[in-house]
């Protein structure tokens, strides 16, 4: 009986850690203070079943940078601040500052 209780507590602790980790990741991408502008290299996240992130970037007046784009997002730059409201109106889920992430991925604007 004691072993069953320990297994249950281990599973419960693992479930809590995974839930908190997943929640923090979702909050980092979609939540938090975003403002209406982003400058420099940005990550545009869009659903894969629509036009796609690269098409949204071009439609909003920006240019895609980097060697490739992922199904859900792409790195982009804009003349001046990124038009976050325009990208959202076109169907983007989120637009985030991606200078650090771009550096890690080897992308140079």
């Amino acid at each position: 009986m004691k072993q069953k209780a320990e297994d249950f507590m281990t599973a419960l602790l693992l479930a809590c850690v995974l839930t908190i980790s997943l929640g923090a990741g979702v909050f980092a991408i979609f939540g938090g203070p975003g403002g209406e502008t982003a400058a420099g290299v940005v990550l545009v996240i869009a659903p894969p079943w629509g036009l796609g992130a690269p098409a949204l970037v071009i439609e909003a007046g920006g240019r895609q940078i980097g060697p490739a784009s992922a199904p859900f997002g792409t790195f982009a730059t804009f003349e001046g601040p990124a038009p976050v409201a325009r990208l959202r109106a076109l169907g983007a889920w989120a637009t985030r500052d991606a200078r650090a992430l771009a550096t890690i991925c080897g992308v140079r604007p």
Side-chain angles (χ1 to χ4, degrees), residues 44-48 50-58 64 69-76 87:
V44 178
I45 303 168
L51 296 174
L56 296 180
V57 167
I58 292 169
Q64 179 184 355
S69 65
F72 286 96
T74 189
F75 291 120
L87 286 164

Side-chain angles (χ1 to χ4, degrees), residues 24-95:
V26 169
F27 181 78
I29 293 173
F30 299 109
E36 286 302 312
T37 60
V41 179
V42 294
L43 175 64
V44 178
I45 303 168
W49 54 81
L51 296 174
L56 296 180
V57 167
I58 292 169
E59 184 73 24
R63 71 178 180 91
Q64 179 184 355
I65 60 172
S69 65
F72 286 96
T74 189
F75 291 120
T77 59
F78 293 87
E79 293 291 328
V84 176
R86 172 99 170 109
L87 286 164
R88 288 222 177 197
L90 290 170
W93 284 341
T95 304

